[in-house]
Every structure is written in C-alpha cells, then in structure tokens.
Amino acid sequence: PACSMTKPHILVINPNTSADITASVHRLAVDEAGGDATIESVTAPFGARYISSRVSFSIAGHAVLDAYANAVASSRRPDVTIVGCFGDPGVWALRECFGGPVIGLAEAAMREAATHGRFAIVTGGQRWRPMLERLAVSLGLAQELLHIEIVERTGAQLAADPPAAHTLLADACRVAERSGARSIILGGAALVGMAAALQPGLALPLID
C-alpha cells in the first residue's frame, strides 16, 4: 500500500520583537522550502525590536527559549528549529534543553562561506564586531573569518531606508572584496533579501 509522507515541520524563531522581520524571514524560508516543508514562524515575546548590543543579545537568548516553549505548547514539536537572527542568540541553550537540529543564521552563513575559503562579513552596527568575532571562535572558524566591514547604521535603520541601504551596503561589499576574501556574508535579519539586489555588482559570492 502507498504510504503518506509528512512534510518536515520547521520552526523559525525571530529573537527580535519586530513582526516585520518575522514576516521577511518567514517569506524567505517558505520560498527556500519550495513546498517541501511546513514553516511556522514566531516572534520573541519580549526584548528589543532589533538586537544591536550585548544586553539585547543576552535578553534575546531567554526570549528564544520562551518562544520555543510557547510554540511547542500550541503546536507539534518541530523537526528543525532555525533561530532567525544573525548572531544566533539562544541556539546553544535550545540544543541543550530541547534537542533536535537547531541552527542560527550566522552559523549557517559562516559554514557556507567557509566552503569557498576565507570570508568577510558585511553588517550594520559597530557593537556587532566583537560579538561576531567571538561567534567565529566558538564555531572553530576564527581563521576563516578574514574581515568584518561595518556599516554605521544598524540593520533596523538600513531596512527602514532601502535606497540608502543599497548604496551603503554596496560600498561596504566592495571594500570587503578588496580584503582578499573568497566570499562575503551580508549579515542581519533585517537585511534578508537584499543580497539578491547587490550580487550583480560584485565579483564574489554574496551569501544572504
């Protein structure tokens, strides 16, 4: 007899409290899944609208645990959980407490970028530099992370002004290309989808 296959259930948690970012990340996840998975996206129940400091990052880790517990209480346990923030707050805690595959945007992007060789990151907000450097160390990718190019505006400010963001990020990506990197990561949940518009003007692969 024919057997029915259940689509994998992927839970996407936005550690920021911005519903707009949740919607953007959800659309991308649905597009990438192509109908082969059920995507459920939830927003952190408390914390910063857009994580941009160590303090807001720490609070977001707690919020991610709450968001996961609330989602599981109202739905079935996910097969995979994605933490939709470039910085991955709460990822290790989720792995420890709940088991199952858990991945953050930054780890996924860094591991993909490392397949090309040494890589650069372009992102918004000066406070992210040491946070991303520490993350690369914790992932065993410190030697592969060659350069971080910071745009002064935060990701939220960039998302609020797309034309200006395109100019600033394109300039930053061109600086990153000159670092000797073999690929560039465009980091920030608020910047989801912008890489496609920037890629035609660049020689290196740009990872969203």
Side-chain angles (χ1 to χ4, degrees), residues 119-141:
F119 60 88
I121 297 173
V122 170
T123 193
Q126 286 290 349
R127 290 178 176 176
W128 274 109
R129 183 186 301 278
M131 296 162 69
L132 293 174
E133 289 171 341
R134 283 197 301 274
L135 179 59
V137 170
S138 71
L139 295 173
L141 296 173

Side-chain angles (χ1 to χ4, degrees), residues 8-202:
H9 176 205
I10 299 176
L11 174 65
V12 180
I13 302 174
N14 172 22
N16 306 279
T17 59
S18 167
D20 289 341
I21 292 177
T22 304
S24 295
V25 176
H26 178 81
R27 284 193 296 270
L28 182 62
V30 169
D31 289 345
E32 290 292 327
D36 293 330
T38 299
I39 309 295
E40 177 188 4
S41 298
V42 298
T43 307
F46 55 85
R49 277 189 56 79
Y50 192 81
I51 300 161
S52 59
S53 68
R54 293 179 183 88
V55 172
S56 55
F57 182 89
S58 297
I59 293 169
H62 181 186
V64 162
L65 296 176
D66 273 23
Y68 181 93
N70 293 338
V72 170
S74 61
S75 182
R76 71 183 179 93
R77 185 189 180 99
D79 299 299
V80 177
T81 301
I82 298 172
V83 175
C85 169
F86 192 76
D88 306 355
V91 164
W92 286 272
L94 273 181
R95 288 172 180 165
E96 178 181 283
C97 296
F98 300 105
V102 180
I103 190 75
L105 299 189
E107 180 177 355
M110 287 186 189
R111 295 204 182 282
E112 180 180 347
T115 65
H116 298 278
R118 301 190 75 186
F119 60 88
I121 297 173
V122 170
T123 193
Q126 286 290 349
R127 290 178 176 176
W128 274 109
R129 183 186 301 278
M131 296 162 69
L132 293 174
E133 289 171 341
R134 283 197 301 274
L135 179 59
V137 170
S138 71
L139 295 173
L141 296 173
Q143 295 303 312
E144 286 75 16
L145 174 56
L146 177 63
H147 180 76
I148 300 176
E149 187 65 24
I150 299 289
V151 175
E152 288 295 333
R153 296 187 185 187
T154 66
Q157 290 169 331
L158 290 167
D161 188 354
H166 188 281
T167 299
L168 290 169
L169 293 171
D171 289 345
C173 286
R174 284 190 284 269
V175 172
E177 283 191 315
R178 295 195 291 271
S179 70
R182 303 301 299 274
S183 65
I184 302 169
I185 297 169
L186 185 64
L191 310 183
V192 162
M194 292 187 184
L198 293 166
Q199 181 66 84
L202 301 172

